[in-house]
Amino acid sequence: MADEALDKALNTLRDKHVRITPQRKLILNYLITHHNHPAVEVIYQELAPQMSSLSLATIYNTLNLFVEMGIVIEIPNENGGIRYDFFGSPHYHAICENCGKVTDIFDPNFPKIEEMIQTEAARQSGYKITSSHIEVYGLCDECQAKLAAQKPDGAAAEAHV
């Protein structure tokens, strides 16, 4: 499936007359095969040993291009930074309010839900809606378990662990 997603994304770039460089292909493949929603620095740490010509500037420029082309999205994180996510299949995110973990949620109804939200937003605001990004927040399994272990009765708490 990763090869198919990579081929489709590369074809999208070619269709938009974007040159496929080894650096772009490497970064794109990383995003497709890793669902860790990485920051630029994480991508650099992971890929620099594989390609000595890869720089932070190249990664920033490549990610900006991918975002502009609509194949990668930016996810703001809790520290004010940006994480990146390959957006080959429409999905939304569940984000842990405690640790910041981001989980991809794939739902066959998502495109219809997103269209309904965009239509209603346009109707109420008068905006020409060009895109949307949907997130839901809560506590991941790991943080729920930590919180439950801290409470003698197992009741949920709203404190950071």
Side-chain angles (χ1 to χ4, degrees), residues 3-39:
D3 288 341
E4 184 179 310
L6 180 61
D7 288 343
K8 184 176 177 184
L10 292 173
N11 284 333
T12 297
L13 294 174
R14 284 185 193 104
D15 290 347
K16 295 180 180 186
H17 308 288
V18 173
R19 192 166 57 97
I20 308 301
T21 64
Q23 293 87 348
R24 289 175 179 164
K25 190 172 180 179
L26 183 68
I27 294 166
L28 187 56
N29 190 59
Y30 178 82
L31 291 171
I32 290 170
T33 57
H34 293 75
H35 299 283
N36 55 345
H37 306 94

Side-chain angles (χ1 to χ4, degrees), residues 21-89:
T21 64
Q23 293 87 348
R24 289 175 179 164
K25 190 172 180 179
L26 183 68
I27 294 166
L28 187 56
N29 190 59
Y30 178 82
L31 291 171
I32 290 170
T33 57
H34 293 75
H35 299 283
N36 55 345
H37 306 94
V40 170
E41 295 78 12
V42 172
I43 297 170
Y44 179 74
Q45 290 169 355
E46 292 286 325
L47 299 180
Q50 298 176 41
M51 183 176 284
S52 61
S53 63
L54 193 64
S55 69
L56 280 170
T58 298
I59 294 171
Y60 275 109
N61 291 335
T62 299
L63 291 171
N64 287 335
L65 173 68
F66 290 168
V67 168
E68 187 180 313
M69 296 292 115
I71 59 175
V72 168
I73 60 170
E74 296 177 325
I75 304 171
N77 70 20
E78 63 280 356
N79 313 5
I82 301 288
R83 297 159 127 188
Y84 294 89
D85 186 23
F86 176 67
F87 206 65
S89 297

Side-chain angles (χ1 to χ4, degrees), residues 67-125:
V67 168
E68 187 180 313
M69 296 292 115
I71 59 175
V72 168
I73 60 170
E74 296 177 325
I75 304 171
N77 70 20
E78 63 280 356
N79 313 5
I82 301 288
R83 297 159 127 188
Y84 294 89
D85 186 23
F86 176 67
F87 206 65
S89 297
H91 62 278
Y92 61 98
H93 298 104
I95 301 174
C96 181
E97 294 172 314
N98 189 62
C99 69
K101 176 181 178 182
V102 179
T103 303
D104 292 335
I105 307 296
F106 296 93
D107 181 335
N109 296 315
F110 177 68
K112 285 183 183 178
I113 294 167
E114 186 176 41
E115 182 181 340
M116 287 174 23
I117 290 170
Q118 290 178 355
T119 300
E120 187 60 20
R123 188 187 69 73
Q124 288 187 30
S125 68

